[in-house]
Amino acid sequence: MDMTERIRQPHPGKHVSVLLADPEELTRSVLGRALRTRFTVVLEAENGIEALALYGRHRPDMVAATLRLPGLDGAGLALTVTGTDPRVAVFLLGKPKDIVTLMSSLSLPAVRFVPTPADPDRLLDLFEDAARMVLLRRAAGESERLVRFFLDASPHPQAIFSKNGLEYVNRGLLRYMGFVSFHEFQASGLALGDFLLAGETPLTDPAGFSQAVLDDPLDREHVLCLTHPRHPDRPAHVFQAAASRLPDSERIMLTLTDITELEYEKRDLIDLATVDPLTRAFNRRKLADVLAEETTRARRYGTPLSVILLDIDHFKKVNDTHGHDAGDTVLTEMARLVMGLLRESDRLARWGGEEFFVVAPGVGLGGGVELAERLRAAVADKDFPGVPGVTASFGVAEYLPGEPVEALVKRADAALYRAKAGGRNRVQGQRLKGSPSPGVD
């Protein structure tokens, strides 16, 4: 197929621009005329300086230049162009000897070398192959821009992950993180995982989390919290997480739906069902669940379990003398004091009125009595606002394997009764047979 026949063939060069630099007017004219039948814009330059100026003004998609250019040689032009935009297809035409010499002294991995004299058909093949790559890259860029447009238009916070990690964060998520653009977020030095929590744990691998959500065979609910590392005092937002794979792609899109209001409402309902509103200790309903769980665990694993029932001494007198507001303050401060002295595994509940109940897993009777004594001393030493001389009495019992919860509570209550009968502001424990201990009757 000759040059004339090829000119009539369909070509991929529509909307692709070429810069042709050759000092020989005849060669430049013939090749330029052929290129114009295939490419939208063909720029011509007779020396390197002119070619560089044309490139700077028009930014063509492809550059074809001879090695021997006046002013700025082809290698210098190629270095400048690829350094400015490595995506530009650059062809350097020259004698085989000159090409070998250049390649031995200079690394130009992004440049394609074409020995001259070049076969016109092969030259057009090379240009058309490069034009196809330009169009494919342009189409990919348009697709990417379209994806980002729809992502940014979405009201939901979203992020895109590829095998290389985080690829994009949309405006919805950027707003929550306090950024205007993805570029600003990248420049901050922060990672997406710095903002996200899975429960109480920082999400160190958001991409892996997204893959796990996508692969979850049970389609369970996955919840993330979003905090700001620079503003830890701000309330966290709560999101339901969903993941999907982009069509014809290995990329995964993580979509977050803000359920903060629903989550806080749910927590409020749970709070109402399990927590005493005044003291913030567990209520009796929640205490029943805790006792059932802990006695089952103690029975199964043979571990000790103690309970402490405490009663504020002469609390009716506090209300009668100082008023119910003062009494409420005493209750609130009592709960705060006791919770501050308990272990993380211990539980405090308001048993009723001025009585509180402590569940201490892994603690035998002797340890329970020691804990109760520490609590008693702390209460006696504390200055309760507006109410001097507040004390409390304590009854301690250790769980006996197999006994009903009601029997355990009853023994603690009996020990408390003896503490109050014995003069108040003291600790009494339910002694196990053959195991006398200090402070245990």
Side-chain angles (χ1 to χ4, degrees):
M1 183 182 293
D2 61 22
M3 179 77 75
T4 305
E5 291 174 327
R6 290 187 57 88
I7 289 175
R8 298 193 186 101
Q9 298 299 313
H11 55 82
K14 189 177 181 181
H15 307 304
V16 175
S17 56
V18 182
L19 170 60
L20 176 62
D22 192 317
E24 297 294 334
E25 182 178 356
L26 179 60
T27 305
R28 190 173 68 248
S29 175
V30 172
L31 186 54
R33 185 168 61 252
L35 291 173
R36 284 188 179 87
T37 65
R38 287 163 169 72
F39 299 98
T40 304
V41 176
V42 178
L43 308 169
E44 294 185 19
E46 63 180 16
N47 59 66
I49 301 299
E50 182 184 2
L52 188 59
L54 287 172
Y55 173 78
R57 285 198 300 271
H58 300 280
R59 292 300 177 94
D61 300 301
M62 300 163 52
V63 174
T66 60
L67 285 175
R68 296 181 179 274
L69 279 176
L72 177 67
D73 63 15
L77 177 63
L79 281 172
T80 304
V81 170
T82 56
T84 303
D85 186 352
R87 297 171 300 176
V88 176
V90 178
F91 296 88
L92 286 183
L93 291 74
K95 294 180 180 180
K97 181 180 179 181
D98 292 338
I99 291 175
V100 171
T101 301
L102 177 61
M103 293 179 67
S104 65
S105 60
L106 189 63
S107 176
L108 292 170
V111 175
R112 306 177 198 187
F113 292 94
V114 181
T116 57
D119 176 61
D121 288 345
R122 180 172 177 272
L123 198 55
L124 285 177
D125 284 341
L126 291 174
F127 286 155
E128 289 185 350
D129 286 344
R132 290 187 184 93
M133 294 304 298
V134 168
L135 293 176
L136 286 173
R137 186 169 60 246
R138 189 178 295 168
E142 289 297 328
S143 298
E144 187 66 24
R145 281 190 288 273
L146 190 61
V147 168
R148 294 192 177 194
F149 171 80
F150 284 113
L151 282 174
D152 287 334
S154 170
H156 298 292
Q158 293 175 313
I160 300 292
F161 300 95
S162 67
K163 62 182 180 180
N164 297 321
L166 181 65
E167 192 170 288
Y168 189 65
V169 173
N170 77 337
R171 290 176 183 173
L173 184 50
L174 289 169
R175 280 195 296 269
Y176 279 103
M177 297 191 297
F179 295 102
V180 175
S181 67
F182 184 51
H183 177 74
E184 182 188 3
F185 166 64
Q186 290 177 305
S188 71
L190 295 170
L192 187 58
D194 294 329
F195 296 83
L196 296 174
L197 297 174
E200 300 295 327
T201 307
L203 190 65
T204 56
D205 184 13
F209 171 83
S210 302
Q211 184 69 58
V213 172
L214 183 66
D215 296 339
D216 186 357
L218 301 179
D219 196 24
R220 290 167 291 191
E221 181 181 65
H222 299 270
V223 175
L224 292 176
C225 291
L226 189 147
T227 61
H228 200 296
R230 294 173 179 170
H231 304 282
D233 54 319
R234 292 181 181 176
H237 289 270
V238 185
F239 296 92
Q240 184 175 8
S244 57
R245 192 178 300 281
L246 295 183
D248 301 321
S249 172
E250 291 299 314
R251 296 182 295 176
I252 296 175
M253 179 172 66
L254 176 68
T255 300
L256 303 179
T257 302
D258 193 344
I259 57 170
T260 303
E261 187 173 345
L262 292 175
E263 188 68 16
Y264 285 150
E265 287 179 359
K266 182 172 73 174
R267 292 179 187 180
D268 288 343
L269 290 174
I270 294 173
D271 193 67
L272 288 172
T274 61
V275 176
D276 175 62
L278 176 63
T279 63
R280 310 305 301 165
F282 285 147
N283 58 22
R284 287 188 69 159
R285 177 185 295 178
K286 179 62 176 178
L287 176 63
D289 294 338
V290 171
L291 284 171
E293 292 171 3
E294 293 300 340
T295 53
T296 298
R297 184 178 292 110
R299 182 172 61 254
R300 179 179 301 163
Y301 299 108
T303 54
L305 170 67
S306 290
V307 298
I308 303 170
L309 188 58
L310 69 95
D311 182 273
I312 301 174
D313 296 329
H314 304 297
F315 186 72
K316 183 177 183 303
K317 185 177 178 181
V318 172
N319 282 331
D320 292 343
T321 303
H322 303 282
H324 287 279
D325 287 344
D328 287 348
T329 299
V330 170
L331 291 170
T332 303
E333 291 297 316
M334 179 68 72
R336 184 178 293 114
L337 173 65
V338 172
M339 282 191 281
L341 295 171
L342 296 180
R343 303 169 303 165
E344 187 175 346
S345 59
D346 298 334
R347 298 291 184 267
L348 175 68
R350 188 177 180 189
W351 184 246
E354 67 273 23
E355 292 182 320
F356 292 88
F357 201 102
V358 176
V359 181
V363 176
L365 181 62
V369 169
E370 291 177 4
L371 173 59
E373 179 57 34
R374 287 198 300 273
L375 297 176
R376 184 206 64 77
V379 171
D381 289 341
K382 180 174 176 59
D383 292 327
F384 288 84
V387 183
V390 175
T391 60
S393 301
F394 296 76
V396 186
E398 181 180 1
Y399 172 68
L400 301 177
E403 76 170 326
V405 170
E406 294 78 6
L408 172 64
V409 173
K410 186 175 181 179
R411 289 192 292 111
D413 187 56
L416 173 62
Y417 178 82
R418 286 191 295 277
K420 295 179 77 67
R424 293 186 170 83
N425 190 24
R426 58 183 301 182
V427 175
Q428 287 292 319
Q430 176 69 45
R431 181 172 65 87
L432 301 178
K433 290 185 177 181
S435 302
S437 59
V440 178
D441 61 20

